[in-house]
Amino acid sequence: MRVVEAFRAAYGAAPQTVWRAPGRVNLIGEHTDYNDGFVLPFAVPWGVTAAITPRTDGTIRLLSLQAPGDPVTIPGHDQSAGWTRYVVGVFAMLGDRVRGADIAIDGDVPRGAGLSSSAALEVAVASALNDLHDLGMTPMEIALLSQKAENDFVGMPCGIMDQAASALCEEGHALFLDCRSLGSRNIPLDLAAHGLSMLIIDTQVHHEHAGGEYAKRRAECESAARKLGVPALRDVTDLAAALDQLQGDERKRTMHIVTENHRVEALIGLLRAGAVTEIGALLNASHLSLRDQYEVSSPELDVAVEAAIKGGARGARMTGGGFGGSAIALVPVERLSSVEESVTAAYAEHGFQAPRFLPAVPARGAHRLA
Ligand code: GLA
């Protein structure tokens, strides 16, 4: 393993443990996680591998095969910028349960594709430390700690979906997660058995304002819930009555969250019934809601979705936080090249940078490699 070789070359001995944690795509249930709602992500085959040996002096030495150069030395928990803060954040959350470490990181999550490489990094490191120090954390506790690192240390007010997917997913399954109870169930997702493939369309675009808009959406949802007198938008049962009490953006956001939770449940119903081909309509509806009510799509995502459907996809939607990143398309295998051609042509027509296509097969969550 090349991460082990890099570790040995930098620190002069083999690492005590090596963990791998994946990125994710979300099948459906977008922006519902921080509204106490439902999500249905699955892990992708790309992830982050962390080779680690604990230290006892509180220092973190860190190197990444994707950031060539000498290891970065970080004393304590306070000096960090760029990608290293996701790692230092995990140490900060673990507090005096750990005393520094030597770490080598190797990642193959396509950069900027919105497939949660940061969650993969946090979960890989947290899982390895949990193992090395016998901390006894469950995968969900590891996900929660990683989310807290991102919320409190990195300053991104994300929900629990990405970290939970990275920690808990199983190969060949999507993870149905109730983000209030944190109860979860792995649901079989065998697309190939139905002659289908899930195509990731990476727009290769990431809009700078994404972080600010994310926090704004979250605040709008919380404000709407307060006005409605419910703990979270998850609790809205009478949508029509709720919409009567709201105006403007808060009204639109509520419309999305409430209907999106229903779409997650409907999609699970279809999967249970073996009607996998029929989930496309729900993906389309989710995209329209994210575009028109939640307003987190982008021209590149909209064109990808429209062109994928035109090319023969059964359904498509943006996935993840939005404002760039990736869309997913459910495609009969015999239509794959026609979908790719359709999207590529539409991108050229709009003068967009060519997209990248990646096949998404539900992969395994965090696990120990050595
Ligand atoms: C980002 C966040 C998640 C979730 C999605 C939107 O990926 O990290 O917590 O809110 O956006 O569904």
Side-chain angles (χ1 to χ4, degrees):
M1 232 186 300
R2 65 180 196 179
V3 72
V4 170
E5 284 154 31
F7 186 99
R8 200 192 292 272
Y11 307 122
Q16 271 182 30
T17 196
V18 182
W19 275 75
R20 175 162 175 95
R24 62 98 189 95
V25 293
N26 188 18
L27 190 50
I28 202 159
E30 216 66 85
H31 288 274
T32 45
D33 60 354
Y34 53 82
N35 287 295
D36 277 4
F38 305 123
V39 294
L40 191 62
F42 62 85
V44 289
W46 312 284
V48 169
T49 306
I52 308 195
T53 292
R55 295 174 64 93
T56 52
D57 62 356
T59 296
I60 303 166
R61 288 199 292 172
L62 197 51
L63 74 87
S64 160
L65 273 75
Q66 283 67 49
D70 292 335
V72 188
T73 300
I74 300 158
H77 296 153
D78 42 16
Q79 278 182 325
S80 198
W83 69 274
T84 59
R85 67 211 150 117
Y86 298 105
V87 176
V88 182
V90 166
F91 278 85
M93 294 310 126
L94 286 169
D96 55 17
R97 285 182 279 175
V98 292
R99 298 277 304 136
D102 288 340
I103 307 177
I105 299 291
D106 190 7
D108 60 1
V109 184
R111 226 166 249 238
L115 302 180
S116 292
S117 53
S118 52
L121 177 54
E122 293 153 1
V123 170
V125 170
S127 302
L129 292 171
N130 179 53
D131 182 13
L132 285 168
H133 294 276
D134 281 324
L135 300 178
M137 289 190 287
T138 63
M140 183 52 83
E141 285 166 349
I142 288 171
L144 287 165
L145 182 115
S146 300
Q147 181 203 12
K148 201 164 159 42
E150 189 136 346
N151 290 168
D152 298 354
F153 195 83
V154 178
M156 156 69 181
C158 65
I160 187 64
M161 173 171 71
D162 305 344
Q163 291 79 6
S166 186
L168 291 161
C169 278
E170 280 173 20
E171 193 177 347
H173 293 72
L175 181 78
F176 174 48
L177 176 65
D178 177 334
C179 299
R180 169 171 282 163
S181 71
L182 297 181
S184 69
R185 212 167 41 236
N186 272 288
I187 305 212
L189 184 65
D190 188 355
L191 299 173
H194 297 264
L196 294 165
S197 176
M198 189 65 77
L199 186 67
I200 298 173
I201 306 165
D202 174 9
T203 67
Q204 311 241 50
V205 174
H206 180 76
H207 292 287
E208 279 310 317
H209 56 280
E213 290 294 326
Y214 186 94
K216 199 165 147 221
R217 293 297 176 286
R218 190 170 178 153
E220 287 163 350
C221 290
E222 285 163 3
S223 166
R226 267 194 306 277
K227 286 181 188 155
L228 295 170
V230 289
L233 290 183
R234 144 81 173 268
D235 301 298
V236 172
T237 45
D238 186 338
L239 179 59
L243 295 181
D244 278 345
Q245 296 175 61
L246 297 169
Q247 285 168 355
D249 287 346
E250 289 181 7
R251 194 168 189 277
K252 290 172 148 182
R253 309 311 183 228
T254 300
M255 174 106 96
H256 168 71
I257 296 301
V258 174
T259 58
E260 184 78 350
N261 277 326
H262 284 299
R263 282 186 287 271
V264 177
E265 294 188 284
L267 199 148
I268 285 169
L270 290 175
L271 289 183
R272 280 224 192 85
V276 181
T277 329
E278 304 310 311
I279 69 176
L282 291 166
L283 303 183
N284 294 340
S286 172
H287 185 77
L288 293 182
S289 180
L290 287 157
R291 185 189 74 184
D292 300 336
Q293 310 299 335
Y294 218 67
E295 298 177 289
V296 291
S297 190
S298 72
E300 297 84 1
L301 287 165
D302 294 340
V303 168
V305 165
E306 278 160 33
I309 293 166
K310 220 191 254 172
R314 301 281 317 196
R317 60 181 290 276
M318 54 157 278
T319 188
F323 304 107
S326 291
I328 51 171
L330 182 71
V331 186
V333 282
E334 71 278 7
R335 304 302 292 271
L336 273 171
S337 53
S338 130
V339 167
E340 292 190 11
E341 279 160 26
S342 171
V343 176
T344 303
Y347 265 50
E349 222 168 89
H350 283 82
F352 297 158
Q353 186 190 350
R356 179 165 51 176
F357 301 102
L358 306 157
V361 178
R364 184 176 174 195
H367 55 284
R368 194 185 164 162
L369 291 181

Short mmCIF file of all heavy atoms in Angstrom, two decimals, residues 181 202 213:
data_model
loop_
_atom_site.label_atom_id
_atom_site.label_comp_id
_atom_site.label_asym_id
_atom_site.label_seq_id
_atom_site.Cartn_x
_atom_site.Cartn_y
_atom_site.Cartn_z
N SER A 181 -33.73 10.57 15.23
CA SER A 181 -33.48 9.45 16.16
C SER A 181 -32.09 8.88 15.95
O SER A 181 -31.56 8.20 16.82
CB SER A 181 -34.52 8.35 15.94
OG SER A 181 -34.27 7.69 14.70
N ASP A 202 -20.09 14.93 -12.84
CA ASP A 202 -19.36 15.93 -12.07
C ASP A 202 -19.25 17.20 -12.92
O ASP A 202 -18.58 17.21 -13.95
CB ASP A 202 -17.97 15.38 -11.72
CG ASP A 202 -17.08 16.40 -11.06
OD1 ASP A 202 -17.58 17.49 -10.71
OD2 ASP A 202 -15.88 16.12 -10.89
N GLU A 213 -24.37 30.34 1.46
CA GLU A 213 -25.76 30.01 1.12
C GLU A 213 -26.25 28.83 1.95
O GLU A 213 -27.43 28.77 2.32
CB GLU A 213 -25.86 29.68 -0.38
CG GLU A 213 -25.67 30.88 -1.28
CD GLU A 213 -26.78 31.92 -1.13
OE1 GLU A 213 -27.94 31.54 -0.88
OE2 GLU A 213 -26.47 33.12 -1.25
#
